[in-house]
Amino acid sequence: MSFNIVVLAKQVPDTRNVGKDAMKADGTVNRAALPAIFNPEDLNALEQALRLKEKIEGATVSILTMGPARAAEIIRESLYRGADNGYVLSGREFAGSDTLATSYALSCAIRKMGKVDLIVCGRQAIDGDTAQVGPQVAEKLGLPQITYAEEIQDVKDGKITVKRRLERGVEVVKGSLPMVVTVNGSAAPCRPRHAKLTIKYKRAATPSEQQEKGADYGNLYSACSYLNINEWGASDIEHDAQWLGLTGSPTKVKQIESVVFTAKESKRLSTADNEIEDLMKELIANHTIG
């Protein structure tokens, strides 16, 4: 029997390089001005999905992402690591989506995908830090959810066993499938690219990317169906337009500010007892400690 796993992944701007052009006038992220990377916790989620694929006979891992056309890059990165296929949800209708509109679009796409046994995603994305999309997808699909997962330990007889990492400890919980699981950054890091898979999928592309490559590649994509990355627009999923994009996004960003800390002065100390003692006296005197 098949066991279908969907990993929700996001290509995010690298927030280590936020500059003055990071935001547009309408309060949305200017993604063209920032380097794009695979959201770190989504990579943790991908690793958990790939481990399940190795355990469960007939399991497949599909990646679903929403974003501009260049988001297909994280589909390729997933294929290089062992995923089976991917879907890019892209189009102007989705632009400016907050978590509510994003989760709505993703849930519509998941319904179109058919039978799904497990949905896995990172706890949160580094560009928004909301940790809302995974739980909202679960609610919109009417599925149970387990959050803060550190390890998916077992899937058996329609049940899933998950170890959760919480603020004050660890707990192990069980739930019924189908299920949505959000994964912490404390989970196992994702495996590196596999050399053979990288060679196999290096030319994988969406239809729009194939058009840019030109007719010379047409026969390649006709002969090698595994190189075709699915690309869906709003017209490809059943939806209510009022819940998509900026129209369906009640959250508005008014301003973003990049704060850079700079050292005004510094001291270099040795390990001598008298220097450490003098430093402690100074810190106590200026009320930094004590």
Side-chain angles (χ1 to χ4, degrees):
M1 294 179 63
S2 64
F3 187 86
N4 300 319
I5 306 170
V6 173
V7 178
L8 304 181
K10 186 179 183 182
Q11 188 183 56
V12 294
D14 189 347
T15 52
R16 295 169 298 182
N17 296 289
V18 175
K20 62 181 181 179
D21 299 324
M23 299 296 294
K24 298 179 182 177
D26 61 3
T28 59
V29 177
N30 183 10
R31 298 184 183 276
L34 297 169
I37 61 173
F38 203 126
N39 184 55
E41 289 189 349
D42 293 341
L43 279 171
N44 296 111
L46 174 59
E47 176 61 23
Q48 293 301 308
L50 295 175
R51 291 186 179 193
L52 282 182
K53 177 185 173 181
E54 293 170 346
K55 292 180 181 179
I56 303 173
E57 185 177 355
T60 60
V61 175
S62 301
I63 311 300
L64 173 61
T65 187
M66 188 179 90
R70 69 176 183 174
E73 184 57 36
I74 68 170
I75 302 294
R76 284 186 285 273
E77 286 293 335
S78 301
L79 294 172
Y80 300 158
R81 290 165 166 82
D84 297 286
N85 52 64
Y87 301 79
V88 178
L89 200 56
S90 185
R92 291 184 177 275
E93 299 88 345
F94 305 115
S97 295
D98 67 357
T99 60
L100 196 65
T102 298
S103 60
Y104 175 72
L106 291 174
S107 62
C108 291
I110 291 169
R111 288 192 181 96
K112 179 179 173 65
M113 293 170 71
K115 175 181 174 291
V116 173
D117 299 286
L118 179 64
I119 301 167
V120 191
C121 63
R123 175 178 59 101
Q124 64 184 31
I126 62 171
D127 57 349
D129 286 341
T130 62
Q132 293 174 354
V133 171
Q136 286 178 352
V137 167
E139 288 298 313
K140 288 178 171 62
L141 293 174
L143 297 177
Q145 57 183 292
I146 296 176
T147 56
Y148 301 105
E150 190 170 67
E151 181 186 2
I152 299 177
Q153 296 182 331
D154 191 28
V155 171
K156 187 177 181 181
D157 300 327
K159 302 287 185 181
I160 185 169
T161 304
V162 176
K163 181 176 81 171
R164 305 178 72 215
R165 172 67 60 178
L166 304 175
E167 225 176 86
R168 299 185 178 179
V170 174
E171 69 177 16
V172 176
V173 297
K174 289 188 177 182
S176 299
L177 297 172
M179 167 78 69
V180 176
V181 176
T182 67
V183 180
N184 277 356
S186 60
C190 192
R191 63 196 64 186
R193 297 175 177 181
H194 190 287
K196 289 185 178 179
L197 293 177
T198 302
I199 294 171
K200 178 179 179 179
Y201 289 110
K202 67 179 181 179
R203 297 195 186 280
T206 62
S208 59
E209 288 177 320
Q210 293 174 26
Q211 289 179 0
E212 292 178 3
K213 291 176 182 290
D216 294 342
Y217 288 91
N219 293 333
L220 172 66
Y221 293 105
S222 298
C224 304
S225 58
Y226 60 86
L227 293 178
N228 293 289
I229 298 175
N230 300 284
E231 185 176 21
W232 291 343
S235 61
D236 297 305
I237 59 175
E238 292 187 13
H239 69 282
D240 186 334
Q242 67 175 324
W243 299 110
L244 293 180
L246 276 176
T247 304
S249 302
T251 307
K252 307 298 180 187
V253 178
K254 293 183 66 176
Q255 183 180 355
I256 184 171
E257 182 179 355
S258 179
V259 179
V260 179
F261 294 98
T262 58
K264 293 183 178 179
E265 59 179 275
S266 62
K267 292 184 177 181
R268 185 178 294 275
L269 304 177
S270 70
T271 57
D273 290 344
N274 64 313
E275 292 192 25
I276 300 300
E277 185 177 349
D278 290 342
L279 174 63
M280 295 300 294
K281 289 178 180 178
E282 181 182 341
L283 294 176
I284 293 171
N286 62 27
H287 303 291
T288 302
I289 61 175

